[in-house]
Amino acid sequence: MERDNSRPIIFIDFDGTICHNRYWCSLPLNKHNKLQTYLFQENRHIVFEWMRGLHTAEEVNGMVAAALDMPYDEVWEIFVADCQSMQVSPATLARISRLRLVATVILVTGNMDSFSRFTVPALRLDQHFDAISNSYNEGRLKTDNGGALFMQYADQFGASIQECAVIDDSEEVCSTFAQLGGTPLHVTAERTTDAILDGLLQKH
């Protein structure tokens, strides 16, 4: 089938949508619990700054190592290994492959430099999507400026946002996308990503 740039775009989120693994998940449990409190509760602003390209993985792992009272090299090794061993279901990737015959499929993730540096090459994600957008490289999140990032890609690929859809587990992202005129497909415990992909494939 011949591809053309006027096709609809299906934007697909990464974390919580096609992958459920966590950074630093291989830390000992007591250290992991301490990390959750330190980074994702007490210092969430660092995470959002990191996702906008304001910190590097090395800088954040330095903070984490100090907070956990662990050697930096040990924390870094665990972090990189966890980034490289994240998993996306082959069945999900097969569905995405079929969808790419009729639509442009773009991975859009609010993520860190580590995603582009370690996760994408380890999982060969660039082979499974027509484009990959990482907030770290974009310098903004999906919901910033009323979802301007989505409009940028729609313009770039010559697609009408009204014909585009986003698959995401974030209510905020789905609401932002709906306000742009696109179709939000909200991933929940009851409505899985694979079920949503199956629905899209049946339409085509």
Side-chain angles (χ1 to χ4, degrees):
M1 186 181 294
E2 198 166 314
R3 300 163 68 93
D4 74 78
N5 285 340
S6 62
R7 303 181 314 159
I9 299 172
I10 309 297
F11 296 99
I12 303 182
D13 173 49
F14 185 73
D15 181 51
T17 298
I18 63 169
C19 179
H20 300 277
N21 303 115
R22 290 278 178 265
Y23 288 162
W24 296 290
C25 63
S26 299
L27 282 168
L29 185 59
N30 63 326
K31 297 288 188 183
H32 190 264
N33 290 340
K34 192 172 180 181
L35 164 82
Q36 293 295 321
T37 302
Y38 167 73
L39 193 59
F40 296 101
Q41 292 174 25
E42 296 170 353
N43 294 287
R44 277 182 67 82
H45 65 282
I46 293 174
V47 176
F48 287 109
E49 289 167 1
W50 188 12
M51 289 164 72
R52 286 190 171 94
L54 301 178
H55 301 294
T56 64
E58 284 83 355
E59 290 167 5
V60 175
N61 274 273
M63 299 177 209
V64 168
L68 300 184
D69 193 24
M70 287 177 67
Y72 171 82
D73 289 349
E74 187 179 339
V75 173
W76 178 253
E77 195 173 306
I78 288 171
F79 175 77
V80 172
D82 285 348
C83 289
Q84 293 174 330
S85 60
M86 291 190 157
Q87 295 183 334
V88 179
S89 158
T92 300
L93 292 174
R95 288 173 168 89
I96 290 169
S97 177
R98 286 167 54 204
L99 195 57
R100 287 177 70 192
L101 295 174
V102 292
T104 298
V105 183
I106 301 178
L107 182 66
V108 184
T109 178
N111 225 302
M112 295 79 167
D113 55 335
S114 44
F115 180 76
S116 300
R117 291 165 62 189
F118 308 125
T119 307
V120 169
L123 275 61
R124 298 192 177 101
L125 290 174
D126 53 332
Q127 296 179 19
H128 295 285
F129 294 89
D130 294 298
I132 295 176
S133 169
N134 178 359
S135 64
Y136 183 92
N137 305 112
E138 304 278 5
R140 57 182 173 175
L141 298 177
K142 286 176 263 191
T143 51
D144 287 357
N145 307 118
L149 184 70
F150 292 117
M151 297 305 297
Q152 174 197 316
Y153 277 94
D155 291 344
Q156 182 182 328
F157 283 87
S160 164
I161 196 72
Q162 285 79 15
E163 296 176 0
C164 299
V166 67
I167 303 174
D168 205 300
D169 68 322
S170 163
E171 276 189 49
E172 186 184 2
V173 169
C174 287
S175 173
T176 299
F177 199 77
Q179 287 166 16
L180 291 172
T183 302
L185 299 168
H186 189 205
V187 175
T188 64
E190 294 76 32
R191 192 187 191 196
T192 65
T193 300
D194 283 353
I196 290 170
L197 289 169
D198 284 342
L200 289 171
L201 287 166
Q202 284 167 11
K203 287 182 183 175
H204 298 283

